[in-house]
Amino acid sequence: MKRVMLVVAYDGTGYCGWQVQPNAVTVEGVLNQKLSELLHEDIKVTGASRTDSGVHALGNVAVFDTESRIPGEKFSYALNQRLPDDIRIQKSMEVEPDFHPRHCKCWKEYEYHIFNAEFANPIERLYSYFVYKKLNIEAMKQAAAHLIGEHDFKSFCSTAAQTETTVRTIYGIDVESQGNSIVIKVRGNGFLYNMVRIIAGTLVQVGLGFYEPDRVKEMLEAKDRTAAGPTAPACGLRLNEIFYNVDKNCG
Amino acid sequence: MKRVMLVVAYDGTGYCGWQVQPNAVTVEGVLNQKLSELLHEDIKVTGASRTDSGVHALGNVAVFDTESRIPGEKFSYALNQRLPDDIRIQKSMEVEPDFHPRHCKCWKEYEYHIFNAEFANPIERLYSYFVYKKLNIEAMKQAAAHLIGEHDFKSFCSTAAQTETTVRTIYGIDVESQGNSIVIKVRGNGFLYNMVRIIAGTLVQVGLGFYEPDRVKEMLEAKDRTAAGPTAPACGLRLNEIFYNVDKNCG
């Protein structure tokens, strides 16, 4: 028995998110099916980030246990031959049997893409949030700076979520202009349900002038979901990468 | 009666190209249908570039004649409300009645996108050509330089095409690396059938080391389609922009 880690990229457009659900096509479900077919075992993967319907990933992480003698690094090639072209394994490797993608310490990087122009660009439509009013990027940068550090992000968490604590640490937020696109890159040690999309929705409201940048401080202090801005659409979000401290203990 | 020009962006993934065909969904066909519905006239647009199935555009150009009193610049808003989200008008304006998007002098800019990494990126798959072997960009740049200027591009034209002359002028070709993407940007006064895709396919062969960069000179001299490289896939191609000399005479 060995444990294999997969780095998984997918276009979330055609999936009802990561997590297996009855009567819905999910990324986890497709991986379970294709791995089980490949290995003639009943494989169930465990994912790091259970991304929502329509959210994309360049580097989500999953593990599974198998009796197979295929070397860890060969699974990427074998699986990619069977997967639909909107899911592609970027890397595979054998890991320690106690490595768990959600319980082991890590930090994650997400990107949120906004297309800001008078008219939408059809080839960006599946991967960005279209905003036709001109956004003030400097104001968005000022607002984002208030979110950096350790904070209680309860105002930036969808109420459906139940977690022990809503305190998280954001290491950095970059708001960058790339042509007509605005990219918000967020790195942190963990993210609450819908947290990056609520951050993006709030920064868009700031960029439109509905809120002053400093208002974000009050939003954090309120610890109330209704204090922050709306949840921006799923298609603008992509999980870039998850970094594990693989040299040290999992805990 | 007035003539209106449209700048049209589209995701070519779902279309059998620009030009109207029986029993196929085309960009021209959708524009004709939506304009006719909007204006209660039988509208037939005339396009500048009859892009192939799967090719994208940020700025194709079309004109139509109408009795409508809607101001030229308002058509973009009215049409976008009716169009599917993979077609978006970027601009509309009234033009002179003798303005013809194919007969008036212009230059065009195309971009060809290659995704060059060990594994494909699902969110780039519809808009780039995936090449997993490492490409030598310097060699591609050297090869591209031979194509700049006025040449007989007969070797870079699909044999199906019938034109009076196969002499064209390329003003510039840039081969740029952007992360894992390689973008070939080509500007010229006219392009033969499949010309940019054959240029891209040839440059990929050079980047893979199958041809020396100087071989492109011999390919031009051969004036024979079989001398050049393969036609690269349609999805990597996008028509960026068409520039008309609108201050002067159309001819």
Side-chain angles (χ1 to χ4, degrees), chain A residues 11 77 90 118-120 125, chain B residues 11 77 85 90 118 120 125:
Chain A
D11 179 334
Y77 301 96
Q90 302 293 303
E118 189 177 3
F119 297 108
R125 78 190 189 288
Chain B
D11 179 335
Y77 302 95
D85 65 359
Q90 303 294 303
E118 189 178 2
R125 77 190 189 289

Side-chain angles (χ1 to χ4, degrees), chain B residues 45-99:
Chain B
V45 302
T46 301
S49 185
R50 288 168 285 195
T51 56
D52 273 339
S53 183
V55 171
H56 315 290
L58 304 184
N60 205 345
V61 167
V63 298
F64 63 94
D65 293 325
T66 177
E67 304 284 354
S68 167
R69 288 194 291 181
I70 298 176
E73 66 278 14
K74 297 292 183 197
F75 280 94
S76 52
Y77 302 95
L79 250 184
N80 281 335
Q81 297 222 340
R82 293 171 172 264
L83 285 168
D85 65 359
D86 53 4
I87 304 179
R88 275 292 168 274
I89 307 302
Q90 303 294 303
K91 189 183 179 179
S92 63
M93 59 187 281
E94 191 173 339
V95 290
E96 294 297 316
D98 69 341
F99 175 81

Side-chain angles (χ1 to χ4, degrees), chain B residues 5 11 54 62 84 103 131 133 137 196 210 232:
Chain B
M5 184 185 93
D11 179 335
H103 301 157
V131 178
K133 284 192 187 164
I137 297 178
V196 182
F210 293 138

Side-chain angles (χ1 to χ4, degrees), chain A residues 9-12 56-58 76-77 80 85-91 118-127 238, chain B residues 9-12 56-58 76-77 80 85-91 118-127 238:
Chain A
Y10 46 89
D11 179 334
H56 315 290
L58 304 184
S76 50
Y77 301 96
N80 281 336
D85 66 359
D86 53 4
I87 304 179
R88 275 292 169 274
I89 307 301
Q90 302 293 303
K91 187 183 180 180
E118 189 177 3
F119 297 108
N121 179 346
I123 74 172
E124 301 279 348
R125 78 190 189 288
L126 302 174
Y127 311 105
R238 58 183 82 167
Chain B
Y10 46 90
D11 179 335
H56 315 290
L58 304 184
S76 52
Y77 302 95
N80 281 335
D85 65 359
D86 53 4
I87 304 179
R88 275 292 168 274
I89 307 302
Q90 303 294 303
K91 189 183 179 179
E118 189 178 2
F119 297 108
N121 180 347
I123 73 174
E124 301 279 349
R125 77 190 189 289
L126 302 174
Y127 311 105
R238 58 184 80 169

Side-chain angles (χ1 to χ4, degrees), chain B residues 34 82 89 167 198 200 241:
Chain B
K34 298 299 179 185
R82 293 171 172 264
I89 307 302
V167 174
I198 299 168
E241 205 168 349

Side-chain angles (χ1 to χ4, degrees), chain B residues 30-58:
Chain B
V30 170
L31 288 172
N32 285 346
Q33 184 203 337
K34 298 299 179 185
L35 276 167
S36 299
E37 285 172 15
L38 174 70
L39 302 173
H40 307 288
E41 294 177 65
D42 183 27
I43 303 286
K44 297 253 186 285
V45 302
T46 301
S49 185
R50 288 168 285 195
T51 56
D52 273 339
S53 183
V55 171
H56 315 290
L58 304 184

